[in-house]
């Protein structure tokens, strides 16, 4: 993603607001509100903010709480805290530590999340999810998909202000991928080549082309090699 370089920066320290526009750097330290679409090379948040529009940036770093009323497009995004995107996300890599909601679709090459997720449709080459709290994704598609339960590491140092749901579990309608590993997942349909069902899963139908392994602590209603 190439973004035209702007000579001006937008810096909010403390409490402030601004209109959108094109910037080189957008940095919010405190509480900020942006009205309109934002296009920049670097977007950084340390605190709390609301953007009433879309964000397009080469890199985005969020530490705190952010609501985006539109889409987020960025080559690389790191989230520590709580972010809600009312539209879609598109980029190369998305790393999440905390609670994130993407109302629309998420299209990314590498998706790595540790926390509480609510996503419409997730498509990525590589998907690594560590469940912390109740997570819900409508559909998942990718080459390598790995869903694991959080093991003995609290996210409290990142999420002191966040109420987390009880129970580390993912609910999803359909999962499709080449290599799939699942733990503590409830899914209607899982399709893939090599599929491993770990503990705590409830799957309606599994269709696989190469290999299927299932933990005895999981339930699969029906599986078939196709």
């Amino acid at each position: 993603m190439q973004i035209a370089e702007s000579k001006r920066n937008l810096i909010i320290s403390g409490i402030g607001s601004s209109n959108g526009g094109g910037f080189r750097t957008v940095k919010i330290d405190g509480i900020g509100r942006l009205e309109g679409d934002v296009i920049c090379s670097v977007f950084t948040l340390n605190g709390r903010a609301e953007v009433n529009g879309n964000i397009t940036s080469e890199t985005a770093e969020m530490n705190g709480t952010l609501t985006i009323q539109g889409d987020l497009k960025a080559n690389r995004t790191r989230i520590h805290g709580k972010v809600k995107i009312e539209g879609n996300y598109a980029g190369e890599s998305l790393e999440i530590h905390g609670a994130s909601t993407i109302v629309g679709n998420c299209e990314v090459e590498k998706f790595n999340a540790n926390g509480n997720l609510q996503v419409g449709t997730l498509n990525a080459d590589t998907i690594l999810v560590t469940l912390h709290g109740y997570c819900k994704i409508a559909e998942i598609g990718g080459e390598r998909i790995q869903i694991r339960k959080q093991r003995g590491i609290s996210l409290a140092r990142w999420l002191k202000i966040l109420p987390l749901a009880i129970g580390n579990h993912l609910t999803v309608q359909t999962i499709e991928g080449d290599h799939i590993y699942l733990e503590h997942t409830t899914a209607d349909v899982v399709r893939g080549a090599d599929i491993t069902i770990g503990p705590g899963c409830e799957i309606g139908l599994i269709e696989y082309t190469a290999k299927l392994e299932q933990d005895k602590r999981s339930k699969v209603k029906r599986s078939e090699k196709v």
Side-chain angles (χ1 to χ4, degrees), residues 51-192:
V51 178
N52 289 319
N54 305 307
I55 297 177
T56 302
S57 180
E58 292 183 0
T59 64
E61 180 92 21
M62 292 90 161
N63 299 286
T65 302
L66 174 65
T67 300
I68 303 171
Q69 297 295 340
D71 300 333
L72 171 59
K73 298 179 181 179
N75 288 339
R76 298 175 302 280
T77 300
R78 296 181 63 188
I79 296 171
H80 289 256
K82 183 178 181 180
V83 172
K84 183 175 183 179
I85 302 170
E86 294 286 355
N88 305 310
Y89 177 87
E92 294 179 3
S93 67
L94 174 56
E95 180 180 339
I96 298 171
H97 298 274
S100 291
T101 298
I102 302 174
V103 176
N105 301 325
C106 180
E107 299 277 349
V108 64
E109 293 180 12
K110 185 175 181 180
F111 182 89
N112 189 341
N114 187 331
N116 179 290
L117 302 173
Q118 308 287 322
V119 183
T121 299
L122 171 60
N123 287 298
D125 293 339
T126 302
I127 298 172
L128 304 174
V129 175
T130 303
L131 304 171
H132 191 93
Y134 173 72
C135 300
K136 185 175 182 180
I137 303 174
E139 298 179 354
I140 298 176
E143 294 181 5
R144 293 187 175 273
I145 301 169
Q146 183 181 102
I147 311 294
R148 293 184 180 273
K149 180 182 177 181
Q150 178 77 290
R151 288 178 173 83
I153 301 176
S154 174
L155 291 181
R157 62 183 181 275
W158 295 310
L159 302 175
K160 292 181 180 179
I161 63 173
L162 288 179
L164 290 178
I166 298 174
N168 302 330
H169 200 86
L170 168 66
T171 298
V172 59
Q173 295 173 10
T174 304
I175 300 175
E176 295 190 18
D178 295 329
H179 305 278
I180 300 173
Y181 176 85
L182 303 177
E183 291 181 0
H184 299 272
T185 296
T186 298
D188 296 334
V189 180
V190 177
R191 297 187 179 97

Side-chain angles (χ1 to χ4, degrees), residues 10 12 18-19 26 28 32-36 38 43 50-52:
L10 173 59
I12 296 177
S18 174
N19 293 326
V26 174
I28 301 172
R33 184 182 182 92
L34 303 180
E35 296 287 348
V38 175
F43 183 95
E50 180 176 349
V51 178
N52 289 319

Side-chain angles (χ1 to χ4, degrees), residues 5-6 41 49 117 138:
E5 186 75 15
S6 175
S41 296
L117 302 173

